[in-house]
Amino acid sequence: MNDEKFQELLADYLAGELDEQQAAAFRAELESNEQRRRLAHQLQAAAAALEANVLSDEEAQRRAEPLSLQDIATRGVGGAPEHASRPIPFRYHRLRAVLRYAAVIVLAFGAGFMARGWRSDTREPPPTPVVSSPSINERYVAGYQRVAQAFPQSSSFARSLLVLAGR
Amino acid sequence: MPTEVAAHFEAHRARVYRWAYAMCGRHEDALDIVQEVFLRMLRRPPELPNIAAAVGWLRQVTARVVIDRWRAESSRGAARHEFSPERSAGESVESHELVECLRAAIGTLSEQQRLVLMAKTYDRMTFQQIAHEFGIAVPTAKTHYLRALSAVRARLKIDLPAGRLS
């Protein structure tokens, strides 16, 4: 018996669709082949396990009796889903919080980069510092320009410091 | 409320309960599943010209509801079968372990394998009837059945000595 034929007969055998004569012939076939006998035995046990929770029609009828379509329809209109009242496990709370913080950080960085990009296109030279006394202001501006020439790469803050430091 | 749905509910709620209980092994879960199945029917009443079509539709939707429920429970990390004093008599820890294994095995099947398994095991349909209802060849129905049993065997780690078959 080839594998294909064996599988077909095995399915019929396990499902109880062989008559007595066919079943006896199939059992004889199994007796002659250890591997096939083992497979058939294991699948028979699996089929039995599947039937462990199968109720009789009467029992199922009795258990399903309290259900009413009216209640189901009501539940469908106004009722919450069955799982809605179950508490959400802690790790999901934590995951949500982490995601929320991550989103805030990403948005903040994004906004910062965008603002910087806009400013770089329209950036103007730093304004000339204004000091209260006109003479001091003139001296400061002259000093600032000297420092700017001496240190062209320096920032306005560094130039201001250098001017104030008397350089 | 559509009268057709009411008629299907009266005729088939016990059948749907039987499928749901066979897959879940828990009375409360089975009741929830029956409600969900008929709720779906109420929301979108299908065209069911005869009883076979109705049973086929219900079987398919029941399997989907059960699988959806399992997936939701898995993603929520819900403890499905913790022991509780309220558990009805006859639902032993062993049976719950068995249900967990069956659930894992059934979850690995394709939809058609699952439906063939349900039709064969829970409704005791012949392969000829299954092939006719699902529009597949009889050998294909048998192959689906054997694959489903193999998945259960693998999940339950059935490794029996090669004894005489009953």
Side-chain angles (χ1 to χ4, degrees):
Chain A
M1 188 187 295
N2 63 24
D3 283 351
E4 201 175 329
K5 181 70 181 167
F6 170 74
Q7 291 210 345
E8 204 167 321
L9 283 175
L10 177 60
D12 286 334
Y13 180 78
L14 294 170
E17 290 193 25
L18 295 180
D19 61 33
E20 265 307 305
Q21 200 175 356
Q22 290 171 319
F26 186 71
R27 273 196 290 270
E29 165 68 21
L30 292 177
E31 289 300 323
S32 67
N33 187 319
E34 163 77 20
Q35 197 181 352
R36 286 179 172 178
R37 184 166 73 244
R38 193 178 183 84
L39 174 67
H41 204 157
Q42 291 172 345
L43 293 183
Q44 205 170 35
L50 274 167
E51 291 180 16
N53 282 324
V54 178
L55 301 171
S56 66
D57 289 341
E58 296 75 26
E59 179 65 10
Q61 186 71 46
R62 188 185 66 75
R63 292 190 184 198
E65 196 63 41
L67 288 171
S68 109
L69 194 59
Q70 190 64 48
D71 291 345
I72 294 172
T74 309
R75 174 194 160 194
V77 171
E82 178 271 330
H83 52 73
S85 58
R86 290 187 197 166
I88 299 173
F90 173 70
R91 67 172 181 274
Y92 288 101
H93 281 304
R94 199 165 53 185
L95 179 65
R96 284 182 187 179
V98 167
L99 287 175
R100 208 174 294 135
Y101 285 125
V104 168
I105 290 168
V106 167
L107 284 174
F109 269 102
F113 276 115
M114 286 173 75
R116 191 180 170 203
W118 290 332
R119 282 194 59 187
S120 67
D121 292 335
T122 58
R123 185 177 292 176
E124 292 172 1
T128 305
V130 177
V131 185
S132 53
S133 162
S135 63
I136 293 175
N137 193 22
E138 281 169 17
R139 268 188 285 136
Y140 179 85
V141 170
Y144 189 91
Q145 285 169 348
R146 264 201 321 277
V147 170
Q149 282 172 355
F151 304 100
Q153 300 296 324
S154 59
S155 66
S156 59
F157 179 70
R159 289 172 192 172
S160 302
L161 282 179
L162 287 170
V163 171
L164 292 173
R167 302 288 297 269
Chain B
M1 191 182 303
T3 53
E4 297 85 15
V5 177
H8 287 309
F9 179 76
E10 287 306 318
H12 302 300
R13 68 178 157 183
R15 185 193 296 269
V16 174
Y17 178 90
R18 212 160 70 91
W19 293 332
Y21 185 81
M23 293 173 87
C24 296
R26 203 156 175 253
H27 176 63
E28 295 79 9
D29 289 348
L31 287 180
D32 278 348
I33 289 163
V34 175
Q35 293 186 58
E36 181 61 34
V37 168
F38 283 100
L39 193 56
R40 290 188 187 190
M41 188 181 257
L42 275 171
R43 283 177 178 157
R44 193 175 294 179
E47 290 286 326
L48 301 170
N50 52 45
I51 292 177
V55 172
W57 187 91
L58 288 168
R59 186 187 296 114
Q60 195 166 14
V61 173
T62 304
R64 281 185 194 157
V65 168
V66 170
I67 295 292
D68 288 350
R69 192 181 173 89
W70 287 348
R71 284 183 185 149
E73 285 174 352
S74 297
S75 67
R76 292 165 63 86
R80 292 174 301 276
H81 292 304
E82 285 173 358
F83 181 79
S84 67
E86 294 82 16
R87 183 178 292 163
S88 54
E91 294 180 8
S92 64
V93 173
E94 289 80 10
S95 86
H96 282 268
E97 286 171 0
L98 174 65
V99 165
E100 287 299 302
C101 288
L102 292 180
R103 164 194 164 128
I106 292 170
T108 63
L109 302 177
S110 70
E111 185 174 32
Q112 194 147 64
Q113 288 170 351
R114 198 177 297 130
L115 293 175
V116 168
L117 185 70
M118 287 174 73
K120 189 75 220 167
T121 307
Y122 306 153
D123 292 336
R124 307 209 181 280
M125 289 168 69
T126 64
F127 288 118
Q128 193 74 42
Q129 291 169 327
I130 292 170
H132 179 72
E133 183 178 318
F134 296 163
I136 56 177
V138 171
T140 308
K142 291 179 182 179
T143 304
H144 284 330
Y145 179 61
L146 285 183
R147 285 199 181 143
L149 287 185
S150 297
V152 173
R153 177 190 64 156
R155 196 56 72 161
L156 290 176
K157 297 184 174 61
I158 295 171
D159 191 21
L160 303 171
R164 182 177 289 273
L165 287 162
S166 55

